[in-house]
């Protein structure tokens, strides 16, 4: 088992700001309600979840393709996290994955099947199953 840490520091009231960082020190970014809801510069939890999910999905997809002897040249994935702020409590209501791969000797249908398997089984997808809707919006081969 491995343990990884993320840290957040917040300064001030809800109009304040803070910094989110990772154990490795690779990510050290400002965040605020302005960055989360108003398009200001900085990051936010949904963006970071999207990046983590895209990274996990891509790594898992590459792993299962490689284990089956497929030659992966490149896989690019976006994870779009939708936060619904219309109610009293904001809620993540949807995550849409879009992935594109360069894999030798693989049909688009086979790539779709591998991508669906990765969507269902990567550790971040499993963690995020509480989200009401998670879809594989697209899986394309170059």
């Amino acid at each position: 088992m491995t343990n990884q840490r993320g840290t957040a520091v917040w300064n001030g009231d809800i109009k304040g700001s803070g910094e989110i960082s990772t154990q490795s020190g690779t990510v050290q970014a400002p965040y605020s309600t302005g960055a989360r809801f108003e398009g200001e510069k900085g990051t936010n939890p949904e963006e970071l979840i999207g990046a983590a999910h895209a990274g996990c999905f891509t790594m898992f997809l590459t792993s299962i393709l490689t284990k089956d002897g497929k030659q992966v040249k490149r896989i690019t994935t976006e994870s779009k996290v939708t936060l619904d702020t219309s109610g009293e409590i904001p809620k993540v209501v949807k995550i849409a994955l879009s992935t594109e791969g360069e894999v030798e000797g693989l049909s688009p249908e086979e790539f779709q099947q591998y991508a669906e398997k990765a969507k269902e089984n990567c550790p971040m997808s499993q963690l995020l199953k509480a989200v009401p809707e998670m879809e594989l919006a697209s899986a394309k081969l170059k």
Side-chain angles (χ1 to χ4, degrees):
M1 294 177 83
T2 61
N3 293 300
Q4 302 294 331
R5 290 176 300 150
T7 304
V9 175
W10 190 265
N11 301 302
D13 64 13
I14 196 61
K15 295 291 184 183
S17 63
E19 184 175 90
I20 292 178
S21 60
T22 57
Q23 175 179 327
S24 66
T26 307
V27 175
Q28 196 166 5
Y31 79 120
S32 66
T33 54
R36 191 174 197 184
F37 300 113
E38 299 162 13
E40 292 178 9
K41 188 174 178 166
T43 192
N44 59 71
E46 293 75 34
E47 178 181 68
L48 294 169
I49 287 170
H53 192 200
C56 184
F57 169 88
T58 301
M59 190 179 286
F60 194 90
L61 177 55
T62 301
S63 174
I64 60 177
L65 287 164
T66 301
K67 285 178 184 173
D68 280 357
K70 308 302 180 192
Q71 295 296 314
V72 178
K73 290 184 177 181
R74 180 183 178 105
I75 296 177
T76 304
T77 305
E78 174 185 85
S79 177
K80 182 179 177 183
V81 178
T82 302
L83 182 68
D84 181 356
T85 59
S86 65
E88 188 176 315
I89 298 171
K91 293 180 183 174
V92 173
V93 295
K94 183 176 180 181
I95 297 174
L97 291 161
S98 297
T99 190
E100 183 174 87
E102 292 179 54
V103 185
E104 290 183 18
L106 201 64
S107 72
E109 295 78 20
E110 290 171 314
F111 186 68
Q112 180 77 33
Q113 289 173 346
Y114 278 102
E116 287 288 349
K117 184 176 180 179
K119 179 193 71 113
E120 290 301 317
N121 296 296
C122 87
M124 288 295 115
S125 287
Q126 291 179 39
L127 174 70
L128 296 168
K129 286 193 185 223
V131 174
E133 183 180 351
M134 186 182 307
E135 71 173 342
L136 179 61
S138 69
K140 300 178 192 173
L141 282 175
K142 270 193 165 188

